[in-house]
Amino acid sequence: MSDRFLVSGGARLSGEVAVGGAKNSVLKLMAAALLAEGTTTLTNAPEIADVPLMAEVLRGLGAVVEQQGETVTITAPAEPKFHADFAAVRQFRASVCVLGPLMARCRRAVVALPGGDAIGSRPLDMHQAGLRALGATSTIEHGCVVAEADALVGAPIALEFPSVGATENILMAAVLAEGQTTIDNAAREPEIVDLCEMLVQMGARIEGAGTATLTVDGVDRLHPTTHRVVGDRIVGATWGIAAAMTRGDVTVRGVRPEHLQLVLNKLGDTGAKVETYDDGFRVTHDSRPVAVNVSTLPFPGFPTDLQPMAIGLAAISDGMSVITENVFEARFRFVEEMIRLGADARTDGHHAVIRGVEQLSSAPVWCSDIRAGAGLVLAGLVADGVTEVHDVEHIDRGYPHFVEILRSLGGEIERVSD
């Protein structure tokens, strides 16, 4: 039996929330610490369930990992182990990001195919193709990615799609390769920029962070560093969308508004008043939101991680919204749970058509992934009665102190253990 949330509808969220480091960055930075013997320190690390999971993966590779609050230290050994076993890796997708560092340090890696959220197919073809371009062999054997190289040599690499994971693994392998590597059609997400900044602090030579072309000149070795994790734009935007849905007034601190420009523009289109600051933003809404259309795309497009929140917003907006999912095909599983809550929604391939209703109705619903779970809680905030949200351990993987923050903003939510 898993924990569940009891969410009472009707509260108007109001107040200020501080957002910590990004889940989509900290796990990759932890893996990158394997690239240099010695102790690397990460500050502003989020207190989420995935951080200790990644710590277990790194410990299995010979690292010493400690976490005290928002500080994580990783001491990488002189000779890391190269086999990331199934028991640790299967629990979450981001564990595959140890593949690049292991190839860079050990010239071989055996990494169990990862598990993670049920949001669609995320094959490792581009990860493997990138390693092969650098001179490695890479196959799938007995449920593991098996890669090996006598030497890694820089090469031009063009990605079919700006995959965040493939960009990260190729980048981390290339920093210790011989010669120059170019990655065309690279992912441009702020979390990629954060990884590049930390690698440069460690002594890597990287140009083009935040653009579609990364140029990496390999170096002989890297050194440990101390790095502050970039703020979590997805968590920050979740609270901003919650403000619009509940006709509230929420100030978010700890994120850079330029990382959420399109999202904030969409909130403005719904009728919200949006103010931006150097380290955050404020969303105020005092009427029913106006329906808007959303298409998810890689950065700087609308993040796929915010698609469930966009659907929740559309479900209670005035008018019809079309939500198009261009990244993960199975993310519309969330719509089935929204229909339980009274949403007028239909899906057809990559599109969901939602006709807003004035109020949702409470019902038992189930989380299929981190973001779907957060979206269901937001929907429960604008439903009549008490909504039971089950399998909330997913939410713990991406949102630190979720219940406490919602309560501090005036939300009525309770965690119940069975």
Side-chain angles (χ1 to χ4, degrees), residues 61-227:
L61 297 171
V64 176
V65 186
E66 297 180 359
Q67 181 176 15
Q68 293 186 341
E70 295 184 349
T71 300
V72 178
T73 59
I74 304 105
T75 303
E79 296 183 6
K81 299 176 184 177
F82 62 88
H83 192 157
D85 66 75
F86 179 75
V89 171
R90 69 181 177 85
Q91 299 181 74
F92 65 122
R93 176 72 184 187
S95 56
V96 77
C97 66
V98 300
L99 181 60
L102 291 180
M103 286 302 298
R105 286 292 306 281
C106 308
R107 295 296 189 260
R108 55 181 174 169
V110 179
V111 180
L113 292 173
D117 291 333
I119 57 176
S121 173
R122 297 191 280 186
L124 300 180
D125 295 359
M126 284 186 284
H127 302 242
Q128 293 182 278
L131 293 179
R132 291 183 187 121
L134 296 175
T137 60
S138 182
T139 58
I140 304 292
E141 299 177 18
H142 308 294
C144 296
V145 182
V146 180
E148 191 169 0
D150 292 331
L152 296 179
V153 180
I157 297 171
L159 298 179
E160 298 175 9
F161 177 84
S163 161
V164 171
T167 299
E168 290 163 341
N169 262 327
I170 296 167
L171 173 66
M172 289 189 280
V175 292
L176 292 180
E178 300 173 17
Q180 187 175 89
T181 299
T182 57
I183 308 172
D184 286 319
N185 201 22
R188 299 163 57 189
E189 273 73 4
E191 296 79 18
I192 294 285
V193 176
D194 199 32
L195 174 61
C196 288
E197 289 177 351
M198 178 170 135
L199 291 172
V200 169
Q201 290 170 209
M202 297 172 75
R205 298 172 61 190
I206 302 168
E207 295 182 359
T211 75
T213 301
L214 289 172
T215 302
V216 184
D217 288 299
V219 297
D220 291 335
R221 66 177 60 243
L222 299 180
H223 54 78
T225 191
T226 296
H227 180 79

Side-chain angles (χ1 to χ4, degrees), residues 285-346:
H285 218 314
D286 57 10
S287 60
R288 187 180 177 192
V290 175
V292 296
N293 298 331
V294 168
S295 294
T296 67
L297 286 168
F299 189 84
F302 195 97
T304 181
D305 279 357
L306 291 174
Q307 183 243 79
M309 296 68 163
I311 289 175
L313 178 62
I316 49 91
S317 291
D318 185 7
M320 184 179 77
S321 302
V322 178
I323 311 295
T324 303
E325 175 55 55
N326 294 304
V327 181
F328 291 130
E329 72 278 3
R331 207 150 217 165
F332 280 148
R333 291 178 58 181
F334 169 78
V335 176
E336 299 172 9
E337 300 304 304
M338 286 297 298
I339 291 171
R340 292 181 193 270
L341 294 172
D344 183 352
R346 301 290 183 274

